[in-house]
Amino acid sequence: MACLEVFKEGKLKEQQEAACTQDGTIDWHGRPAIKGKSGQWTAGIIILLNQGLATLAFFGVGVNLVLFLTRVLGQSNADAANNVSKWTGTVYIFSLVGAFLSDSYWGRYKTCAIFQVIFVIGLVSLSLSSHLFLIRPRGCGNQQMPCGSHSGWQITLFYLSIYLVALGNGGYQPNIATFGADQFDEEDPKEGHSKVAFFSYFYLALNLGSLFSNTILGYFEDEGMWALGFWVSAGSAFAALVLFLAGTTRYRHFKPSGNPLSRFSQVLVAAMKKCSIDMPPDADDLYDVDGNDSSMNGNRKILHTDEFKFLDRAAYISTRDVDDQKRGIYSPWRLCPVTQVEEVKCILRLLPIWLCTIIYSVVFTQMASLFVEQGAAMKTTISNFRIPPASMSSFDILSVALFIFLYRRVLDPLVSRLRRKDSMGLTELQRMGIGLVIAILAMISAGIVECYRLKYANKDCLRCEGSSSLSIFWQVPQYAFIGASEVFMYVGQLEFFNAQTPDGLKSFGSALCMTSISLGNYVSSLLVTMLMKISTEDHMPGWIPGNLNRGHLDRFYFLLAGLTTVDLVVYIACARWYKNIKLAGKTSENINEQDSFKL
């Protein structure tokens, strides 16, 4: 009613309702959000700029972390790659913490603000510890001058700082993507189209933000100016926080829905209590609430589906439930509405798809670790100018920008015209499958480049950076393939998990995307550890030794290509089995089209 009060008496009801968002969002004061005064691209652009600045800050640390560990802290290549994988994985594990707090208690705005403050504190602490304690003697940490040893408390302070950065960025990242999508009312056709476009531009902003880190900051850090690079990152994170707070009154918000763990537990317990009851063949006797509200903080109603029929027992109205209702007794641990049961089903249906994305993340994480070490062992000079190996990821960013443009402006409209007039183009599941295919090509390309790098390498070098005469620019194809695969896989993932999770779990959907990256980093670390243990038997140097010229990094890349091929086959089977969430008001035609997975 608060929204309707903005109109004078005598206005038509349709005009009154058109002024309010239809998806249940509220404004800063807790009133129904008015379309013309909240959200849309004004808020969306603020969030995109915030994302670009925050990404610049994060990758100002992450992109060269593997070199910082080897040059400043004196770690081996394998240990540094493992530690970077663990740190990156922890970043994304913390995304589950942020998503839980956001969906359950704090809401997305408050969660984003709090974790950005933690992010800034971590970067300031890292800058101070590096400047005061770690960069000793002055100017060390470049290619020529390694740093001295460090005490235990100095190393502890360093790890505390970078894991504060991990906590801050991890808790913020899934919520900012979902919070940006909240600014567009998907019940409105025009805003719904803008919401789909937002995810592509969000990922583009993420990559453009990292472009400065991978080039300018990467160059300074590669030359030993680590403290300067970290201070620039801290300043960028602070600017992002100020910008985010400046848009406070313009944002749209969803109310937090309470603890999802209790809702899930209620469904499982209620279903178990009725495990001996004979269920009717149809859904007519299942408990549901009246109207379009699901009784869970105004979230939209989810229609009944036939999968996981055992869980339907939680919504079955037994004789005892009827007697309890007559006495005015209701227990959510015995009887749950259909929408609550379908929440659990939605997450269970998502899990196989989510698991299939983990191997892709193993491929993706090589760009921040082994790709950099491989590049450092190649010819990195043009005349008297040296190219920092980490800056080669700029080609990944350029590839992302190019393929986002090609997909949105060329491929998607072309597919829509080839199918039928009202087609949506490629579905999210199809795009994720294409991403896996391109990832296989990336690993094959990296393996071939490594074979030729070894062919032109000096195996007897002591300090083996730049020991191969093969130019580092031969890495461009593998970075470009990774960038192209990201556009299909990660943008598709963001859209898919946001669309397929219930209203009360949208941040959790974005966190699923990030958690697959996390587990990919841990799986990568486990693979490297296992392969080094196996391949170093009988005093062999192993596949990834400190001197890459004596190893077989190419075999590791080809192994990943094989694993991704197997993963692709499993993914196709899971995608064909998957059925979309069915929200009240969505047409069966749209649902069927989104469900399709025909390559």
Side-chain angles (χ1 to χ4, degrees), residues 68-81 83 158-159:
F68 187 89
L69 293 176
T70 54
R71 294 179 182 178
V72 178
L73 300 188
Q75 297 182 4
S76 67
N77 283 334
D79 287 341
N83 284 328
F158 166 76
Y159 277 110

Side-chain angles (χ1 to χ4, degrees), residues 26 140 221 225 234 248 277 377 397 413 423 503 520:
I26 58 176
C140 72
E221 291 173 355
M225 290 177 274
T248 296
I277 295 177
I397 298 166
S423 174
D503 286 343

Side-chain angles (χ1 to χ4, degrees), residues 262-273:
S262 64
R263 297 201 303 273
F264 282 29
S265 300
Q266 287 167 358
V267 171
L268 296 176
V269 170
M272 289 294 295
K273 287 181 177 179

